Amino acid sequence: MLIVHPRIYLDHHGTTTNALLIEGQHVVAVGDEARRRAGRSAEVVRPDAACVMPALGDAHIHLWGAGLRAHTIDLRGMSAPQILDELRLAAPRQDGWIVGTNWNENNFADDHPLNLALLDQLFPNQPVCLHRVDAHALWVNSEALRRAGLDERVHDLSGGLAERGPDGRLTGVLIDHAMEPVLRALPPADAAEDRLIFTHTANTLLSHGVSFSSMAFTSMERLELVDELIADGDLPSRVDFWIDGTSPALDRLLERGPRQANAAGHRVGTIKFFADGALGSAGAWLLEPYRTGGQGLQTQPSGYLKARLPELMRAGWQVAVHAIGDAAARDVLDAFEATSPELRARLRPRLEHAQIVHPDDRARFAELGVIASIQPIHLRSDVPWAPRRLFDPQLERLFPWRDLLPATLAAGSDYPIDDPNPWHGIATALTRQGYDEQPFAPEHALTRQEAISAYTYGAAYASHREHQLGALHPGYLADVIALSADPYVDSPEAIWDIEVLWSRLPGR
């Protein structure tokens, strides 16, 4: 196949050509050489588009899990009364549970707190499990608590919180590790459901021009499904699967060892940990207290990461750690610093989210060779309500992207926590506008090249696939997209509205 277009971008630097020759799955030549080698028999494609460029990556996404279940009620953007109205119409799943996702108390009036009574009135005998938008909290009813073996005598788990109201009674809100008894009681998805959700999510990404991704959490129980998906050879996306680092069955994976990216770009080489919770549920671990009190949740025992991460990296594993708060980020950087520079250079440790970072720790990303895995779309979602959670000095530490450079930035969406459309993420990286359309600390905005790099080269580099993906030079996989606007020159508003007009992607 010979692709001809006056503006074909080959990489994040903006290098251009006007012809691209593809043989099999790879780019084999560009420019005049592509035309010369194509010959008269080659299929010629001339996309009617503003530009042609490499497909993007999503450096942090949940292809299943994180509340992604069939027959789940989507509560995104709803007020508490709207949620109750929606639940009144809800039918239980086949397993008898009412399951929802994406509630966000920032959409509620201050005088409308979450409580058990609201759900118990609607469902006195059926268990209800509603996932918060960040997947770091649940709102459940009394029947769900009963099935989880929880009652008023429950004590907070290490790294978790069972919220109580002014009267001292449980509200039904469970944060981080306190969710685990309910999640264990909730009948799990089977392989068929996971396949269905995976395929749907992957096709959603493909529709936006995303051909490769990092699956940010895979339980050991689902590793067999991962092996089957890879063996089938028909995955609709190129995936880097990360494995739960706290699984009791992890030794089985460690014995097998990491699996580097194969010819199609699939990889099982990363182990994932959580250092804290999320900002919206006040579980992000902060150096100073929230406006509402408390400093969040340290979800691993003190000193655990500093001992465990070097051990895994010496065994050849890349490690990725969720760290949203500034205390969590410092703890994770300290843990990575305990490994040798050679291991860090070879294995590319990742800090996921880097949402609140103290100024003293920002240069450490580059100094230690730690990848900053960011989700620009979270800025749009979070900054309008962040002042209700954080004091001004803490707000100044929020989304400090420019100060993390020259560390490698790898960008993603954290879907289904947030919008999977990468063009919305790129536009937000350029404008730093919240959903209220107000710019937040615009001095930390990324340039076009930096933003595009984070979704192409950075996402590929972070999963050890920069030699395969994120560019269209000879030898790279030929994941090509043609767009309705040119992200290198057009306005952020035009970038937000980009559509993929033609593509050559896996599974399509």
Side-chain angles (χ1 to χ4, degrees):
M1 176 186 292
L2 180 67
I3 300 174
V4 178
H5 191 277
R7 192 181 298 170
I8 300 174
Y9 291 105
L10 297 178
D11 53 39
H12 65 278
H13 297 295
T15 309
T16 59
T17 188
N18 57 18
L20 197 70
L21 182 62
I22 298 169
E23 292 181 0
Q25 296 299 310
H26 293 85
V27 177
V28 296
V30 301
D32 291 342
E33 183 182 359
R35 295 174 185 274
R36 178 178 57 79
R37 289 179 55 178
R40 295 183 178 180
S41 61
E43 175 190 5
V44 179
V45 176
R46 303 177 186 273
D48 183 10
C51 70
V52 175
M53 66 177 289
L56 306 184
D58 190 309
H60 187 114
I61 193 169
H62 301 275
L63 295 164
W64 69 72
L68 270 178
R69 295 289 302 273
H71 310 296
T72 296
I73 306 162
D74 189 354
L75 308 174
R76 190 180 300 274
M78 295 185 184
S79 65
Q82 288 172 329
I83 287 175
L84 297 177
D85 288 342
E86 187 74 15
L87 292 176
R88 288 187 182 97
L89 303 175
R93 303 184 325 167
Q94 288 186 344
D95 57 25
W97 284 68
I98 302 292
V99 179
T101 191
N102 292 329
W103 61 266
N104 186 345
E105 75 280 11
N106 293 299
N107 297 318
F108 300 177
D110 291 341
D111 59 351
H112 206 313
L114 307 180
N115 59 71
L116 279 171
L118 292 172
L119 297 182
D120 287 348
Q121 289 170 10
L122 292 176
F123 302 101
N125 301 311
Q126 291 171 312
V128 179
C129 178
L130 308 177
H131 299 254
R132 193 183 185 279
V133 66
D134 57 13
H136 283 266
L138 300 177
W139 178 19
V140 301
N141 69 345
S142 294
E143 178 61 18
L145 289 173
R146 186 189 68 78
R147 296 196 184 195
L150 301 176
D151 57 27
E152 288 292 341
R153 294 171 295 179
V154 66
H155 294 287
D156 294 337
L157 302 174
S158 176
L161 175 66
E163 188 180 89
R164 295 179 182 274
D167 59 0
R169 298 182 63 83
L170 293 176
T171 66
V173 175
L174 306 172
I175 300 173
D176 288 306
H177 285 182
M179 303 187 299
E180 292 174 2
V182 173
L183 295 178
R184 287 195 296 267
L186 181 67
D190 59 20
E193 182 180 345
D194 277 348
R195 278 180 175 264
L196 176 67
I197 296 297
F198 177 92
T199 301
H200 177 268
T201 306
N203 281 320
T204 298
L205 294 179
L206 290 171
S207 72
H208 296 309
V210 176
S211 73
F212 63 100
S213 61
S214 289
M215 166 65 174
F217 187 83
T218 306
S219 68
M220 282 296 299
E221 292 75 17
R222 284 292 180 256
L223 187 57
E224 183 176 340
L225 174 62
V226 169
D227 289 339
E228 291 174 2
L229 289 167
I230 293 174
D232 287 347
D234 59 354
L235 282 174
S237 183
R238 311 186 192 280
V239 185
D240 182 3
F241 294 96
W242 305 355
I243 306 301
D244 172 16
T246 62
S247 171
L250 186 64
D251 285 348
R252 175 161 53 92
L253 178 71
L254 299 182
E255 290 175 3
R256 191 175 82 174
R259 178 188 299 161
Q260 298 308 312
N262 62 14
H266 309 309
R267 176 176 174 269
V268 183
T270 304
I271 295 177
K272 166 79 175 292
F273 291 91
F274 289 84
D276 67 347
L279 181 61
S281 51
W285 179 25
L286 302 183
L287 292 169
E288 292 94 23
Y290 289 88
R291 282 185 180 274
T292 50
Q295 290 177 237
L297 298 171
Q298 181 181 4
T299 54
Q300 302 296 339
S302 182
Y304 174 79
L305 294 176
K306 196 169 186 178
R308 185 59 167 153
L309 302 195
E311 180 182 53
L312 291 170
M313 292 177 68
R314 285 192 296 268
W317 291 92
Q318 182 185 37
V319 177
V321 188
H322 165 116
I324 288 181
D326 47 11
R330 178 169 294 176
D331 190 56
V332 172
L333 291 169
D334 287 347
F336 285 138
E337 190 170 19
T339 65
S340 72
E342 183 277 329
L343 277 179
R344 294 197 301 267
R346 179 163 60 88
L347 296 174
R348 306 174 186 175
R350 305 176 49 140
L351 192 152
E352 302 303 309
H353 305 303
Q355 193 162 329
I356 306 175
V357 184
H358 191 279
D360 292 349
D361 294 316
R362 295 173 188 176
R364 298 178 70 196
F365 282 80
E367 292 167 358
L368 299 174
V370 175
I371 292 165
S373 174
I374 63 172
Q375 297 76 45
I377 197 64
H378 282 347
L379 181 149
R380 180 176 176 84
S381 302
D382 292 1
V383 297
W385 54 259
R388 300 202 296 270
R389 288 277 193 277
L390 303 175
F391 292 101
D392 288 348
Q394 295 167 315
L395 289 171
E396 293 173 1
R397 303 173 190 176
L398 193 58
F399 302 108
W401 301 328
R402 293 221 61 81
D403 284 355
L404 301 181
L405 297 170
T408 298
L409 304 182
S413 67
D414 204 12
Y415 176 81
I417 310 305
D418 221 319
D419 182 351
N421 188 326
W423 307 109
H424 294 173
I426 290 173
T428 301
L430 301 180
T431 66
R432 290 181 64 94
Q433 287 183 349
Y435 61 73
D436 57 1
E437 306 304 325
Q438 297 301 309
F440 176 80
E443 66 274 14
H444 282 291
L446 298 180
T447 67
R448 294 169 186 274
Q449 182 175 315
E450 289 164 347
I452 293 169
S453 174
Y455 283 89
T456 53
Y457 170 79
Y461 178 86
S463 60
H464 294 260
R465 296 182 291 179
E466 75 280 6
H467 59 289
Q468 294 178 315
L469 298 163
L472 293 175
H473 295 294
Y476 280 70
L477 288 165
D479 293 357
V480 187
I481 54 177
L483 306 176
S484 59
D486 185 339
Y488 284 90
V489 299
D490 288 332
S491 68
E493 292 76 16
I495 294 171
W496 181 277
D497 292 331
I498 277 180
E499 295 181 3
V500 178
L501 302 178
W502 178 89
S503 65
R504 185 187 184 282
L505 299 175
R508 297 215 157 185

